[in-house]
Amino acid sequence: MDKVSSLRAFVKVVESGSFAEAGRQLRLSRSAISKYIADLEESLGVQLLNRTTRHASPTENGQRYFERAVVILSEIEAADQAVTQAQSAPRGLLRVNAPMSFGTMRLGPVLADFMARYGELQLQIVLSDDLLDPVQDGFDVTLRIAELESSSLIARKIMPVARMICASPDYLARHGTPRHPQDLREHTSLTYGFLLTGNQWKLTGSDGDHWIQPAWSLCVNNAEVLRDVAIKGRGLALLPEFIAADALKTGELRTVLDEYSAPPLALYAVYPATRHLSVKVRLFIDFLVERFSRDEDESGGRRRAEARP
């Protein structure tokens, strides 16, 4: 038996004095209302209504039950309204996990705008390059820059993350500039520690795919460290564009093998698979898509303009 629906039917019958009128108000047939009342009386083992062909009125037990039922339905309505209001005006705590470099360089500068837009939310941001478990560690949403493996989590792509091979002018002057992916075997690499491909680099050009595993002198789980060591001339690094951008502008780094491309990674928002995605998570992800897709369009336009002769 659907107890809440039966309570609603019973209350409407008492308030209107009629099965037919209760059915009209609830948009149910008279027979459906009768079935709800009959199920309710059977479950309680008492008669709740006195019935005539045109009218229904509560018995003594029915009147007491009616008074309690009105309170119960009122509480249910209040609970529904509280959730609905929370959906339209998100409140409470939102826990977010993000990579360290992305968090400091890209996420941090936009958080104030999100906070201004949703002022009743509390944000708890945990920056870490460790692969934390979103469920076990209690995060509402986790941001990852990766090629994602299959999992029970749901992932939404926020933006692509291009990568390029970079080195300092000093390193290239001392060791030469690679012209083909196979030349990387003669160079020292600085590698990122959490890629699914390990220390292998995949590069694709007009002559197909090349899988290279260059000798490495540093393996670290933070791309800013790779960038800084590359600037000091200690090797070649495969870096996300947003990490290398400033050093490329100043000339501290140069790209090599521009005719070849590494598989782009992507920024994903990862969250547990739940039946109803909470509004605070949805609004946060929508905000990131809005902000970073716009930034990507603007930076792409600048790159195209700079590339024109």
Side-chain angles (χ1 to χ4, degrees):
M1 182 183 66
D2 184 344
K3 195 65 170 281
V4 174
S5 295
S6 295
L7 287 177
R8 288 196 175 106
F10 171 67
V11 167
K12 283 299 180 185
V13 170
V14 174
E15 289 176 341
S16 65
S18 165
F19 280 64
E21 179 60 22
R24 188 187 67 79
Q25 293 183 23
L26 294 175
R27 298 183 179 180
L28 295 171
S29 66
R30 189 185 190 285
S31 61
I33 296 294
S34 296
K35 180 68 165 55
Y36 278 131
I37 301 301
D39 287 346
L40 196 56
E41 290 179 328
E42 182 179 354
S43 71
L44 294 170
V46 298
Q47 182 178 339
L48 298 174
L49 294 172
N50 295 312
R51 301 163 173 85
T52 67
T53 55
R54 294 180 177 274
H55 187 70
S57 61
T59 63
E60 183 178 350
N61 284 330
Q63 183 61 35
R64 285 196 293 266
Y65 196 75
F66 169 78
E67 292 169 0
R68 295 293 183 89
V70 168
V71 174
I72 291 169
L73 292 175
S74 165
E75 290 296 325
I76 291 174
E77 183 180 357
D80 289 345
Q81 289 178 351
V83 171
T84 301
Q85 290 171 359
Q87 288 291 91
S88 59
R91 298 177 178 85
L93 178 65
L94 177 65
R95 299 191 73 233
V96 179
N97 169 231
M100 183 68 69
S101 296
F102 182 82
T104 57
M105 298 179 69
R106 298 297 303 274
L107 182 61
V110 305
L111 281 180
D113 291 340
F114 180 78
M115 294 168 67
R117 188 178 299 184
Y118 305 108
E120 296 190 37
L121 269 179
Q122 290 179 294
L123 280 176
Q124 186 179 68
I125 310 295
V126 176
L127 301 182
S128 173
D129 289 324
D130 293 334
L131 293 179
L132 302 181
D133 186 300
V135 177
Q136 291 186 5
D137 293 307
F139 292 107
D140 296 300
V141 60
T142 294
L143 301 181
R144 285 184 179 163
I145 297 176
E147 296 176 89
L148 290 183
E149 295 178 301
S150 298
S151 75
S152 60
L153 301 172
I154 296 176
R156 181 176 173 187
K157 185 177 178 180
I158 304 296
M159 68 174 186
V161 178
R163 294 183 294 164
M164 53 205 60
I165 299 177
C166 303
S168 71
D170 174 64
Y171 176 88
L172 296 175
R174 287 185 288 112
H175 298 280
T177 300
R179 305 296 180 187
H180 188 273
Q182 296 300 329
D183 296 341
L184 295 175
R185 301 182 191 279
E186 307 301 321
H187 287 265
T188 299
S189 72
L190 311 170
T191 64
Y192 186 76
F194 279 164
L195 293 179
L196 297 178
T197 54
N199 293 326
Q200 279 193 323
W201 292 358
K202 180 185 178 183
L203 297 174
T204 302
S206 59
D207 56 347
D209 295 337
H210 301 272
W211 288 90
I212 308 297
Q213 189 160 1
W216 58 271
S217 60
L218 173 68
C219 180
V220 65
N221 66 340
N222 182 274
E224 286 182 277
V225 173
L226 291 179
R227 177 202 61 199
D228 293 344
V229 174
I231 288 173
K232 295 296 184 181
R234 303 312 306 169
L236 297 163
L238 179 59
L239 296 173
E241 183 180 17
F242 75 91
I243 297 286
D246 288 343
L248 292 171
K249 288 179 182 177
T250 61
E252 294 174 291
L253 289 177
R254 294 179 184 170
T255 60
V256 300
L257 296 173
D258 293 338
E259 297 81 7
Y260 295 86
S261 60
L265 302 178
L267 173 68
Y268 291 94
V270 180
Y271 53 91
T274 55
R275 183 177 179 184
H276 297 292
L277 178 62
S278 71
V279 69
K280 59 187 178 182
V281 172
R282 177 176 56 79
L283 291 175
F284 182 70
I285 295 173
D286 287 347
F287 172 83
L288 296 183
V289 170
E290 170 197 325
R291 179 55 60 91
F292 291 136
S293 62
R294 184 178 69 197
D295 291 350
E296 182 70 15
D297 290 342
E298 292 175 355
S299 63
R302 286 195 298 270
R303 288 194 298 270
R304 287 190 294 272
E306 291 167 358
R308 294 189 188 105

